[in-house]
Amino acid sequence: MKKNSTKIVAFILIAIFISACDAVKRVPDGKNLLVKNNILVNGKSSNDEIASNQMYQKPNGTLLGYKLRLNMYNLANLNPDSTYQAKFKNNPGLYERQAKILSAKQVDRLGQSFLYKGIHEFLKNTGEPPVIVDTVKTQKSLVRLKFYYFNNGYFNVKTDYTIDSIARKKAQVNYNITTGPGYKLDSIKTNILTPALDSLYKTNNEPSLLKSGNQFKTSDFEEEKARITTYFRNHGAYFFQPTYINYNIDTIGKQHKADVTLIINNNNIQERDSSRTEPFKLYKISDVNIYTDYSPTNAKAKINDSTTYKNFNLYSYKTLKYKPRAITDAIFITKGSTFSDTRTTLSSRYLNNLKIFNYPSIQYEVDKRDSKAESLIANVYLTPRKKYSFGASLDLTHSNIQDFGIGASVSETIRNVFNRAETLEISARMNIGSSKDMANPNDNFFNVSEYGVDTKLNFPRILMPFGTEKIIPKRMIPSTSIAAGFSKQRNIGLDKENFTGGISYNWSPKRRNTVKLDLLNAQFVRNLNPNNYFRVYSSSYNELNNIAGTYNTTPTNIDSNGNLIISEGTTGFTNDVLNGNTVLTPGNPEYRDVESIEERRVRLTENDFILATSYTFTTTTKKDLADNTFYQFKTKIESAGTLLSAISNVANLPKNTKGNYEIFSLEYSEYIKTEFDYIKHWDFGKEKVLAFRSFFGIAIPFGNSDYIPFSRSYYSGGSNDNRAWQPYSLGPGSTDAMNDFNEANMKIALSAEFRFKIFGDVKGAIFADAGNIWNVLDNVIDTKAKFDNVNDLAEIALGSGFGLRYDLSFFVIRLDLGFKTYNPAHEEGDRWFKEYNFGHSVLNFGINYPF
């Protein structure tokens, strides 16, 4: 608490110091600091961001209303070298006295040190010089504003400006815009000189962006150009470009209306020193040539191998290494089809997705064999990647299990394995670490380890015994993955062995939609050291030990210090309680606590076998990385054990003593699980973004199971969840996170975050996270952990806080400080702001944004 108080006091003192700076300290006499641009449209203030972006000058940036960077700049000494030299000129003999103590060289170096120069360079470079009102730039801004409103239909717009002094050396610029009435589109006609294009235009069912009655907007005309160009180029007009589209806008004799004539000229052909025009032609593809091993060095070499497959001509400068279908399935340009930009783009995407070629080059040339010159030859140039690729990485790690860890991984990728563009990925990983919480009888520094091997075979098609082209056509870029993996842990938890394997299918029904079908996903988790449970889950041990301190009746259960012996004593005491060999009865709270501890121990120490099938659908409106106005929706449904139960029922297999089926002497898991994840971003301009996320997931055991395996359960807390709690430390329900790794089978999560720019690449955020986990319809008996009805929604925890982000373009480094705002672990009426302080806050480090 003392440390936190010191930090708070220091922060306040720094804030007061910076606030004491004079904002106009470096504003010359007779000049003014620009504090505001005020755009007045027809006498009313406007918040139009696009209009604001027309300004050549903008006021100094602020952080929560405070001009932080300006005041940092004002704190800097702009000429630290001169100041340092002046100190000696004003104090004769000072240089010689310091030189005797240090040396002349060291005194000179002192002037270049951070204390004398570096700190001022930092303040100057990090800060921002004052923005001085410049009338030349103001007039340029006015011209820009006039064009902006003119382009939005205000043809009679009038503009001027005034500069108002609002304080000493401070002023605001008022831009006065009188728009006049807006012009609307009246009649819309076309004048298309090429008959083929005129016919195409008339048969196009897509609605035009230019409609009679709409206000004139230049942006609508540009978008209409792009729409028409896309349509024409997808229907054979290979040489057509947007520059061939012009508009004639006629307002003569009109009352604030404009007649529009869309003009499309003929093709302009340059021939040496002259040019001519002719109607556009609609081209068809006469040949598709595929060069499978092209490179600039062999461009003029002789073709050594070739074949023709389904009207595709495949060429190789060496020996053809691919089965033709592997490549032709990825190309949507076919002989006899009409030229289309969309088919070209789709072919490039699919070929790139094969991951055996560099990004392809697709070029067209007019077929000279066609006397009408209406045919194109498509040439597809493919440059193979290396057949074998090796990768290696080394990482330093820190987690809630390891104090320090070193991780290493190696991988090998083999391309075109079976000559049909398959890729095989093989990787191995190893991690060694140090943990003071783990058993360490030999006192070794590296006392925990994990290693594993993974393989993945990818096919650029749906691998099924029957055709799927009608259901999942190749334009959806389908693929199949067959994966297998093994990992083993030592001194981490219960020392697990984890075997995984499965087959999955991926495809994209639409441009921004993806589907993943895990047909079979198998996982076998074997706990090698289940007797270590109470050493790992120390909270459970402490609770059981406290109860044993009062109710234990068997002396051999405890050691000389009166503590339960792990695992003989913990097992013995638990059996005594549940078998009625103590004074505790099922009606006692302590009995129920022991029962709950044992239920969790059995659940987490049993080996798990999961055979699941899942379907995941994702859709988004996000266009690119810069798009900050979009939504993303993801849903998943997973079913485990259903197939095994069906086989067991049909085969009439025997059940064990618990009434459950087994496979390889192991009870398999059976459950159904579904998840819904929704993300929405709103861009408010000026790098201000509001981001929202909601998540709901539930997994219900049935049939062969009465609980969900740990690996398929939910947890709450952490840098990408509720940031006011550590991972696994929130819930379930209103329990006080009594276990070390708290998990449950239902989760609700809601998050909102407002992001803003502070300066440069440094961004800030304020956030609120709500949510919790609960047990529902499983074997958990703790009523505080269970979700019984809507009243339990009162157990949704709330965390809030603020964060900093540093944008490195290719990823974002993130720090978030979360405060427990509403904690359902406390008694009702005492949950709000109980731990809202720095002492109970959680500092999260993350890479990239949480959602």
Side-chain angles (χ1 to χ4, degrees):
M1 188 65 188
K2 223 172 185 181
K3 289 182 179 177
N4 288 326
S5 300
T6 304
K7 291 177 183 177
I8 295 169
V9 170
F11 181 79
I12 293 172
L13 290 173
I14 292 170
I16 293 172
F17 178 64
I18 294 177
S19 298
C21 295
D22 183 2
V24 296
K25 175 181 178 180
R26 301 196 186 281
V27 177
D29 292 338
K31 300 291 184 180
N32 289 304
L33 177 72
L34 177 63
V35 295
K36 185 180 181 182
N37 285 322
N38 189 23
I39 301 175
L40 298 167
V41 180
N42 299 324
K44 295 182 180 179
S45 183
S46 171
N47 292 320
D48 186 341
E49 185 195 349
I50 300 177
S52 297
N53 287 338
Q54 310 305 312
M55 303 292 105
Y56 274 89
Q57 281 191 305
K58 294 183 179 180
N60 290 97
T62 62
L63 175 62
L64 302 178
Y66 176 69
K67 298 183 184 298
L68 175 64
R69 294 186 66 198
L70 172 61
N71 284 314
M72 289 178 69
Y73 184 86
N74 286 341
L75 278 172
N77 183 343
L78 301 184
N79 298 293
D81 291 333
S82 300
T83 303
Y84 187 69
Q85 296 298 326
K87 180 176 71 169
F88 297 115
K89 289 181 180 179
N90 297 331
N91 295 276
L94 178 61
Y95 184 88
E96 289 75 12
R97 289 194 299 272
Q98 289 191 0
K100 287 181 180 179
I101 300 172
L102 300 172
S103 75
K105 193 174 183 179
Q106 287 178 324
V107 173
D108 293 337
R109 281 183 178 177
L110 189 62
Q112 301 297 313
S113 67
F114 180 78
L115 181 65
Y116 282 93
K117 185 176 181 179
I119 189 171
H120 296 288
E121 291 292 330
F122 170 78
L123 290 171
K124 184 172 68 173
N125 294 332
T126 307
E128 183 182 44
V131 178
I132 309 298
V133 175
D134 185 332
T135 56
V136 173
K137 292 181 178 179
T138 302
Q139 290 168 359
K140 288 182 177 180
S141 298
L142 202 64
V143 172
R144 275 188 175 180
L145 282 171
K146 185 170 184 176
F147 278 119
Y148 170 70
Y149 284 98
F150 183 90
N151 287 330
N152 279 277
Y154 299 104
F155 296 159
N156 300 320
V157 62
K158 296 179 180 179
T159 60
D160 64 11
Y161 73 89
T162 58
I163 299 175
D164 292 344
S165 178
I166 58 175
R168 186 180 71 88
K169 292 188 177 182
K170 294 181 180 180
Q172 75 173 21
V173 179
N174 300 312
Y175 294 92
N176 302 303
I177 313 296
T178 304
T179 63
Y183 278 71
K184 296 188 176 182
L185 306 185
D186 195 7
S187 66
I188 301 175
K189 300 176 182 178
T190 62
N191 181 15
I192 303 175
L193 300 183
T194 299
L197 296 187
D198 188 43
S199 179
L200 270 180
Y201 182 86
K202 291 175 180 177
T203 56
N204 186 0
N205 294 323
E206 296 176 359
S208 172
L209 298 173
L210 304 179
K211 296 180 180 179
S212 180
N214 286 359
Q215 183 158 326
F216 177 96
K217 286 186 179 180
T218 301
S219 58
D220 287 345
F221 285 79
E222 293 302 315
E223 289 178 15
E224 179 68 0
K225 270 189 181 184
R227 185 189 73 87
I228 293 171
T229 302
T230 298
Y231 186 78
F232 284 175
R233 288 186 60 83
N234 279 332
H235 289 79
Y238 173 67
F239 287 105
F240 190 83
Q241 297 295 331
T243 52
Y244 287 103
I245 301 176
N246 295 293
Y247 298 99
N248 182 31
I249 312 297
D250 184 8
T251 60
I252 298 174
K254 293 284 185 178
Q255 187 68 23
H256 310 307
K257 290 184 179 182
D259 290 332
V260 178
T261 302
L262 182 143
I263 302 170
I264 299 179
N265 295 313
N266 280 334
N267 188 13
N268 186 38
I269 301 172
Q270 291 292 131
E271 292 180 339
R272 295 183 181 179
D273 297 331
S274 63
S275 63
R276 62 183 176 85
T277 61
E278 66 174 30
F280 280 97
K281 295 176 181 178
L282 303 184
Y283 289 86
K284 288 188 177 293
I285 305 300
S286 58
D287 269 320
V288 181
N289 300 325
I290 306 168
Y291 298 88
T292 61
D293 55 356
Y294 172 83
S295 70
T297 57
N298 65 13
K300 296 182 180 180
K302 183 181 178 181
I303 297 297
N304 186 60
D305 196 2
S306 65
T307 187
T308 299
Y309 177 78
K310 291 187 176 180
N311 291 323
F312 292 94
N313 305 315
L314 289 89
Y315 301 102
S316 177
Y317 295 97
K318 297 177 182 179
T319 302
L320 192 60
K321 298 179 180 179
Y322 309 92
K323 292 182 179 179
R325 185 180 172 186
I327 298 176
T328 59
D329 276 357
I331 296 176
F332 297 82
I333 308 161
T334 57
K335 185 174 182 178
S337 65
T338 301
F339 165 78
S340 168
D341 269 345
T342 298
R343 290 195 185 98
T344 306
T345 302
L346 201 55
S347 299
S348 296
R349 283 180 55 207
Y350 202 139
L351 287 166
N352 188 58
N353 201 58
L354 293 179
K355 298 179 182 178
I356 62 172
F357 299 109
N358 293 332
Y359 199 83
S361 172
I362 301 178
Q363 301 175 14
Y364 295 90
E365 60 179 288
V366 176
D367 191 346
K368 296 177 181 178
R369 298 170 298 180
D370 184 357
S371 59
K372 295 182 180 179
E374 294 178 351
S375 300
L376 293 175
I377 297 174
N379 295 311
V380 182
Y381 298 99
L382 304 176
T383 303
R385 297 185 186 183
K386 292 181 180 179
K387 185 175 181 67
Y388 300 97
S389 295
F390 178 79
S393 65
L394 183 68
D395 301 302
L396 301 179
T397 60
H398 171 77
S399 68
N400 55 346
I401 294 176
Q402 296 183 51
D403 302 308
F404 174 77
I406 300 175
S409 65
V410 293
S411 63
E412 179 75 15
T413 300
I414 307 172
R415 298 183 176 88
N416 198 34
V417 180
F418 307 119
N419 294 331
R420 287 196 60 184
E422 303 87 356
T423 58
L424 175 63
E425 301 170 20
I426 304 171
S427 62
R429 64 189 185 280
M430 183 175 183
N431 179 281
I432 57 174
S434 174
S435 176
K436 61 185 177 184
D437 297 327
M438 299 301 168
N440 191 7
N442 298 321
D443 197 28
N444 297 323
F445 179 75
F446 290 111
N447 59 325
V448 298
S449 65
E450 179 179 7
Y451 62 86
V453 178
D454 297 290
T455 61
K456 187 177 181 182
L457 182 59
N458 300 302
F459 299 84
R461 55 191 174 276
I462 297 294
L463 207 62
M464 283 277 191
F466 52 86
T468 59
E469 177 67 23
K470 291 183 178 179
I471 306 171
I472 307 172
K474 69 175 187 177
R475 63 177 173 79
M476 296 183 181
I477 314 182
S479 64
T480 302
S481 294
I482 300 175
F486 166 76
S487 64
K488 186 173 182 178
Q489 298 173 340
R490 183 179 68 85
N491 282 351
I492 300 178
L494 304 179
D495 295 353
K496 299 179 185 294
E497 283 184 342
N498 190 22
F499 300 85
T500 59
I503 179 170
S504 63
Y505 305 101
N506 298 271
W507 65 92
S508 299
K510 294 183 179 179
R511 175 65 171 164
R512 297 185 180 93
N513 295 355
T514 58
V515 171
K516 181 179 182 181
L517 173 63
D518 281 299
L519 185 64
L520 292 175
N521 185 326
Q523 181 181 23
F524 172 53
V525 180
R526 180 184 173 207
N527 293 305
L528 302 178
N529 193 5
N531 292 332
N532 201 39
Y533 176 82
F534 284 109
R535 291 187 180 91
V536 176
Y537 298 90
S538 56
S539 296
S540 296
Y541 172 78
N542 292 336
E543 186 178 4
L544 186 67
N545 194 47
N546 290 336
I547 298 172
T550 305
Y551 298 103
N552 179 56
T553 58
T554 305
T556 55
N557 288 339
I558 59 176
D559 60 17
S560 58
N561 295 321
N563 296 319
L564 287 173
I565 300 171
I566 300 174
S567 65
E568 297 85 349
T570 53
T571 302
F573 175 68
T574 299
N575 290 336
D576 286 345
V577 172
L578 299 181
N579 293 330
N581 296 329
T582 67
V583 296
L584 293 174
T585 64
N588 297 122
E590 291 85 355
Y591 181 97
R592 291 194 294 272
D593 288 341
V594 173
E595 189 177 29
S596 180
I597 291 170
E598 178 63 7
E599 169 272 319
R600 178 173 166 84
R601 186 196 68 80
V602 170
R603 178 156 54 93
L604 297 185
T605 58
E606 280 190 341
N607 298 333
D608 293 320
F609 179 74
I610 305 167
L611 184 64
T613 298
S614 66
Y615 176 87
T616 305
F617 174 78
T618 304
T619 183
T620 183
T621 59
K622 191 176 180 70
K623 298 174 184 176
D624 50 49
L625 291 175
D627 187 2
N628 279 318
T629 298
F630 70 93
Y631 75 82
Q632 176 182 296
F633 175 71
K634 180 180 180 180
T635 184
K636 178 181 180 180
I637 184 166
E638 177 179 323
S639 175
T642 308
L643 177 63
L644 294 176
S645 289
I647 295 173
S648 299
N649 282 323
V650 171
N652 199 23
L653 297 179
K655 295 183 178 181
N656 61 16
T657 55
K658 297 180 183 178
N660 294 330
Y661 291 113
E662 293 183 346
I663 181 171
F664 307 122
S665 301
L666 178 67
E667 292 182 12
Y668 57 84
S669 299
E670 189 170 10
Y671 61 85
I672 189 164
K673 181 179 184 180
T674 186
E675 296 176 351
F676 302 93
D677 193 357
Y678 178 77
I679 296 173
K680 173 70 176 174
H681 285 202
W682 293 270
D683 191 342
F684 294 107
K686 298 180 180 178
E687 299 192 55
K688 295 182 177 70
V689 176
L690 176 63
F692 169 80
R693 184 197 181 197
S694 62
F695 176 88
F696 173 78
I698 185 170
I700 302 173
F702 67 95
N704 219 55
S705 299
D706 57 4
Y707 66 88
I708 301 299
F710 183 87
S711 61
R712 304 298 170 98
S713 297
Y714 298 108
Y715 72 91
S716 194
S719 62
N720 294 322
D721 196 75
N722 197 318
R723 287 163 278 187
W725 278 264
Q726 295 283 2
Y728 293 99
S729 66
L730 172 59
S734 59
T735 62
D736 192 12
M738 61 182 182
N739 299 307
D740 297 271
F741 299 95
N742 296 279
E743 40 76 42
N745 64 323
M746 189 179 93
K747 178 176 181 176
I748 296 175
L750 300 165
S751 292
E753 181 172 282
F754 182 68
R755 301 165 185 166
F756 51 88
K757 180 178 179 178
I758 297 179
F759 58 84
D761 293 325
V762 179
K763 314 290 172 63
I766 53 175
F767 61 83
D769 301 320
N772 206 335
I773 54 173
W774 293 268
N775 290 96
V776 58
L777 301 174
D778 61 2
N779 63 349
V780 172
I781 59 175
D782 188 349
T783 56
K784 288 186 176 182
K786 297 176 69 174
F787 188 94
D788 296 317
N789 52 58
V790 293
N791 293 330
D792 289 324
L793 292 176
E795 295 170 353
I796 290 179
L798 175 64
S800 58
F802 57 89
L804 292 174
R805 292 95 166 86
Y806 187 72
D807 192 344
L808 293 171
S809 297
F810 48 94
F811 69 91
V812 175
I813 297 174
R814 174 166 53 92
L815 287 175
D816 289 321
L817 189 63
F819 298 88
K820 296 176 178 63
T821 308
Y822 177 86
N823 190 349
H826 296 303
E827 295 297 325
E828 291 187 34
D830 197 28
R831 294 174 172 177
W832 284 101
F833 302 104
K834 179 76 173 179
E835 299 166 319
Y836 201 86
N837 52 58
F838 284 96
H840 290 92
S841 64
V842 175
L843 181 63
N844 299 273
F845 172 81
I847 299 295
N848 293 328
Y849 291 107
F851 51 89

